[in-house]
Amino acid sequence: MEKQEQKATPLIRLDNITRSFSNGDQTLQVLKGIDLTINEGEFVAIIGSSGSGKTTLMNLLGCLDRPSSGDYYFRGQLVNQLTKDELAHLRRDAFGFVFQSYNLLPGTPAVNNVELPAIYAGQPPAIRRTRALELLAKLGLSDRTDHLPGQLSGGQQQRVSIARALMNGGQIILADEPTGALDSKSGIEVMQLLKELSAQGHTLLLITHDPEVAAHADRIIEIRDGEIVSDQKSAAVDNPKARLPLPEAAKEQPLIDIWESTKAAFTALHRNLFRTLLTLLGIVIGVASVIAMLAIGDGAKNEIVERISSLGSNLLLVRPGAPNQRGRWSIATLVPEDVQAINLEVPNLIAAIPELTGTKTIRYGNRDKSTGMNATSASFPLVRQWPVAEGVFFSQEDEDLYATVAVLGKSVADDLFGKQSPLGEYVMAGGTLLQVIGVMSERGASPMGQDQDDVVFIPYTTGSLRIFGQRFLRNVTVAVDDVSQMDLTQDKIFELMLARHGVEDFQIRNMASLIDNVTATQNTFTLLLGSVAAISLLVGGVGVMNIMLVSVNERTREIGIRLATGARTRNILQQFLIEALTISAFGGVLGVVIGLSTAWLVGYLGTAVYFSVFPVVLAFSCAFATGLIFGFLPARKAAHLDPVKALSSE
């Protein structure tokens, strides 16, 4: 009983189907209440003149379009209620299309065109390739499998489209004017193929305006002005035909879908190589700019911070003069007793040292040199973290005895003595003969760009009495032991100095705060550079979106072909997203290479640069995110194209 009911269920049934199209304020009704039943195995020709509605009817029958009203049943199932992806499944599993203009993917070999429906059915590559080759061989194209559509004649292209229609079984073959673009001989051959397919049990729906072509069918339906005016069957229609088995439902295979979408994306990018390279350019410039700018900005920041840190990040500098008072270097407020009091009364100190500085002319033999002279204490190397390279630094005993000894900076030693060792030699400074007992290690430039090695160190007592002739200090330098308690130590020194002097005639500079301020300023500068570069990346992303939108518009027909052969929304979305991500990822890699190379070249030419992983990861991640974000809109537009409109685009 169930088998009889199954036989009684028609393959296709249309009940009062209409289709209207809106054009501004006007509505054009193309189909007007179509009632039609088609059984399995029938060879039906739908004939009518241009504009009669036959192509619109074919689009509805092939689930490429939806009716405006009425009901469409396929094997008893109401098609009107199916989603876009369910319609794609139906086209993939049940229908095969043979178009007048062939609708083969350009730049794609014949065998790959034939494989297309099987890709969306999830068939393994080896199985579908074997079947595609078998179909092409049966259709006499075994020697044309690798030919592109442009290398095939019209008849050969139509055979390829027939093979594609049969790839997933081709239960129902819809042929829209299959001989319209062919010469007479090729047209006869194509019609013979269609008749053979009908004899094998395929249901054929032939759309034509030619009565001679329609005469090959077992049933001829004439449509005029959107209505069926006649429906005639030949006697042969009652002859029994083999029934094709229903295709097995395709299994969902997300990984295969992604892999096939990736291959299609790479094929499309390769086919439009010049446009791909232009799109890459925007991403490459953006990523390279971000990396190079941040490397240069970080390099400048690190160089300045390193120079300041070389003075000691644990230092407090006590200087004469009230806050914001000009000319403070000439103000006599700091005395050696202040240094002694700080050392005795303030906890958490390594040491506090006096510094009395000025510029003097040093003579050795017949060589003179104007250099800085610093009268300080024996704790200077410890406080300033500046070791002696040769000899020794003067001691506390030298300071107590007013010893006439000197320790030279590296630049002074080189200028006066060259390659000769200065140890034990005597130099003249301000009429005082000083014996050289040591040479400091090389220090380099100060944060202000001055040569820190252009200096001579002498005991404070000697400098105060014999060289400068004054007791007042240029500054007091304090080295803090526990940096975490630096602010508290600064407050203690402030209270002590205020108690000793009675007024605030001094200033205390915290080197750690200075480094923090400089770092914050440089971070702002680096952020500014990075923002400018990020704008380049944003512009590159907009370029990706524009190019992808152009690509969607240019490839609308290709998208229509894929939709007609069973591609679902996600298949199209994946393909175009992968194209955008591929461009962005590859552009990101090139940008990283170029950006690092540019930064290296800048560093090689003498500008400070600093390489770190974060800017590279940031720039590449932004490039990838750019492809995802800016590629989504074009990909979504492509995925939601209407199959009929896509196929009809030029």
Side-chain angles (χ1 to χ4, degrees):
M1 182 68 179
E2 292 181 359
K3 291 183 178 181
Q4 290 177 354
E5 289 178 357
Q6 186 177 3
K7 288 182 180 180
T9 302
L11 179 64
I12 291 173
R13 192 179 94 228
L14 304 183
D15 291 341
N16 196 28
I17 290 291
T18 67
R19 185 67 175 102
S20 301
F21 297 94
S22 297
N23 184 14
D25 297 333
Q26 297 181 346
T27 299
L28 176 64
Q29 188 169 11
V30 178
L31 298 180
K32 306 170 184 177
I34 299 293
D35 293 315
L36 179 62
T37 299
I38 298 174
N39 296 309
E40 287 193 53
E42 283 195 283
F43 186 177
V44 180
I46 300 176
I47 189 171
S49 60
S50 179
S52 61
K54 61 183 185 301
T55 300
T56 301
L57 179 58
M58 186 207 74
N59 292 333
L60 292 173
L61 291 171
C63 299
L64 295 172
D65 197 7
R66 292 178 182 269
S68 300
S69 65
D71 295 324
Y72 175 11
Y73 294 91
F74 183 83
R75 290 198 174 99
Q77 181 182 20
L78 185 60
V79 175
N80 306 47
Q81 298 177 348
L82 299 182
T83 64
K84 291 185 68 173
D85 282 351
E86 288 171 338
L87 289 174
H89 287 159
L90 192 56
R91 290 193 296 269
R92 180 193 68 195
D93 297 334
F95 292 96
F97 294 90
V98 180
F99 299 99
Q100 177 180 358
S101 54
Y102 322 127
N103 280 342
L104 301 178
L105 294 181
T108 304
V111 66
N112 297 102
N113 267 289
V114 175
E115 284 185 278
L116 193 59
I119 290 175
Y120 298 122
Q123 289 187 17
I127 294 176
R128 67 171 184 256
R129 176 56 59 96
T130 299
R131 175 163 173 76
L133 292 173
E134 289 175 353
L135 287 170
L136 288 172
K138 287 180 181 179
L139 296 175
L141 295 174
S142 57
D143 59 341
R144 295 288 189 271
T145 57
D146 294 328
H147 285 55
L148 303 179
Q151 299 170 327
L152 300 173
S153 66
Q156 290 171 336
Q157 290 188 63
Q158 196 62 289
R159 287 171 182 266
V160 173
S161 70
I162 292 173
R164 182 181 62 191
L166 296 172
M167 188 65 195
N168 287 348
Q171 300 293 308
I172 307 164
I173 296 178
L174 291 104
D176 183 16
E177 300 282 6
T179 62
L182 303 178
D183 57 67
S184 300
K185 181 181 177 182
S186 298
I188 293 172
E189 292 175 351
V190 167
M191 288 309 303
Q192 185 61 37
L193 282 173
L194 294 178
K195 291 186 69 174
E196 291 174 3
L197 294 174
S198 175
Q200 294 169 10
H202 294 273
T203 302
L204 264 77
L205 303 180
L206 175 65
I207 310 298
T208 183
H209 68 281
D210 189 348
E212 293 184 6
V213 173
H216 290 85
D218 300 328
R219 178 181 173 190
I220 301 175
I221 299 173
E222 184 179 357
I223 186 170
R224 187 184 304 157
D225 296 330
E227 297 178 321
I228 294 176
V229 295
S230 69
D231 187 348
Q232 299 177 355
K233 295 182 180 180
S234 66
V237 77
D238 295 326
N239 293 338
K241 294 182 180 179
R243 295 187 55 151
L244 295 177
L246 295 177
E248 295 182 4
K251 296 180 180 179
E252 296 292 329
Q253 302 187 61
L255 291 180
I256 291 181
D257 284 349
I258 293 174
W259 172 243
E260 295 298 339
S261 297
T262 301
K263 289 200 298 184
F266 273 86
T267 300
L269 292 175
H270 183 266
R271 195 165 59 233
N272 299 282
L273 190 58
F274 183 70
R275 184 172 62 195
T276 301
L277 293 176
L278 287 178
T279 310
L280 278 174
L281 189 60
I283 297 296
V284 169
I285 292 174
V287 173
S289 299
V290 169
I291 292 175
M293 290 290 193
L294 290 180
I296 294 171
D298 286 343
K301 177 185 71 177
N302 290 343
E303 184 180 35
I304 293 174
V305 170
E306 184 177 344
R307 287 181 178 180
I308 297 177
S309 298
S310 67
L311 301 176
S313 59
N314 65 331
L315 299 182
L316 294 172
L317 301 182
V318 184
R319 292 177 172 173
N324 301 321
Q325 184 175 1
R326 297 183 178 180
R328 58 180 179 273
W329 307 125
S330 61
I331 298 173
T333 60
L334 297 180
V335 293
E337 289 76 14
D338 291 328
V339 181
Q340 297 172 5
I342 292 173
N343 277 318
L344 290 173
E345 300 182 31
V346 178
N348 190 36
L349 296 186
I350 296 175
I353 59 172
E355 292 192 70
L356 177 57
T357 60
T359 302
K360 296 294 179 179
T361 298
I362 306 296
R363 170 172 291 182
Y364 172 71
N366 60 354
R367 298 178 187 174
D368 290 343
K369 178 176 176 58
S370 178
T371 184
M373 185 163 282
N374 189 344
T376 184
S377 76
S379 299
F380 180 89
L382 178 64
V383 171
R384 288 287 192 176
Q385 299 178 19
W386 192 347
V388 175
E390 294 182 65
V392 295
F393 204 79
F394 54 81
S395 64
Q396 183 63 47
E397 183 180 2
D398 292 329
E399 192 173 349
D400 294 340
L401 295 175
Y402 293 78
T404 53
V405 294
V407 179
L408 307 183
K410 188 69 168 59
S411 297
V412 177
D414 290 344
D415 291 345
L416 292 180
F417 295 93
K419 295 182 179 180
Q420 174 189 347
S421 174
L423 298 182
E425 301 293 334
Y426 289 86
V427 295
M428 182 70 70
T432 301
L433 200 62
L434 303 172
Q435 184 180 20
V436 178
I437 62 173
V439 178
M440 302 298 290
S441 59
E442 189 171 359
R443 193 74 161 184
S446 71
M448 302 302 294
Q450 298 172 336
D451 185 5
Q452 296 183 87
D453 300 310
D454 188 8
V455 66
V456 175
F457 297 100
I458 58 176
Y460 167 74
T461 52
T462 304
S464 175
L465 178 65
R466 296 176 179 272
I467 306 299
F468 296 106
Q470 70 174 56
R471 297 183 68 249
F472 297 105
L473 307 177
R474 176 73 176 268
N475 62 270
V476 178
T477 303
V478 182
V480 178
D481 187 14
D482 184 359
V483 180
S484 65
Q485 302 293 321
M486 198 161 185
D487 291 340
L488 180 61
T489 303
Q490 180 178 343
D491 293 340
K492 294 287 186 182
I493 294 173
F494 180 84
E495 293 171 2
L496 175 64
M497 294 294 293
L498 190 61
R500 286 180 55 80
H501 290 210
V503 293
E504 189 179 349
D505 57 356
F506 58 89
Q507 299 177 48
I508 302 178
R509 173 170 290 183
N510 188 325
M511 294 300 293
S513 299
L514 177 61
I515 292 174
D516 290 340
N517 292 335
V518 171
T519 301
T521 301
Q522 287 297 319
N523 284 338
T524 302
F525 177 68
T526 303
L527 181 62
L528 177 62
L529 291 177
S531 299
V532 172
I535 292 174
S536 300
L537 191 57
L538 179 64
V539 171
V542 174
V544 170
M545 183 172 66
N546 288 337
I547 294 296
M548 291 302 296
L549 285 172
V550 170
S551 178
V552 169
N553 291 334
E554 288 184 354
R555 294 160 59 193
T556 301
R557 181 181 285 271
E558 174 195 335
I559 296 168
I561 295 170
R562 293 183 180 275
L563 291 171
T565 52
R568 289 156 291 175
T569 301
R570 78 177 187 195
N571 297 126
I572 305 298
L573 185 66
Q574 283 174 354
Q575 178 181 338
F576 280 85
L577 264 183
I578 289 171
E579 288 184 29
L581 291 177
T582 299
I583 290 174
S584 299
F586 190 57
V589 171
L590 284 179
V592 167
V593 173
I594 294 174
L596 292 175
S597 300
T598 302
W600 176 86
L601 180 61
V602 170
Y604 180 78
L605 295 176
T607 301
V609 296
Y610 176 74
F611 296 100
S612 61
V613 176
F614 176 71
V616 175
V617 174
L618 175 65
F620 184 81
S621 300
C622 288
F624 199 77
T626 296
L628 183 63
I629 295 170
F630 288 95
F632 179 75
L633 181 61
R636 186 178 183 278
K637 177 184 177 182
H640 288 83
L641 283 175
D642 185 77
V644 172
K645 293 181 180 178
L647 285 168
S648 61
S649 68
E650 295 298 333

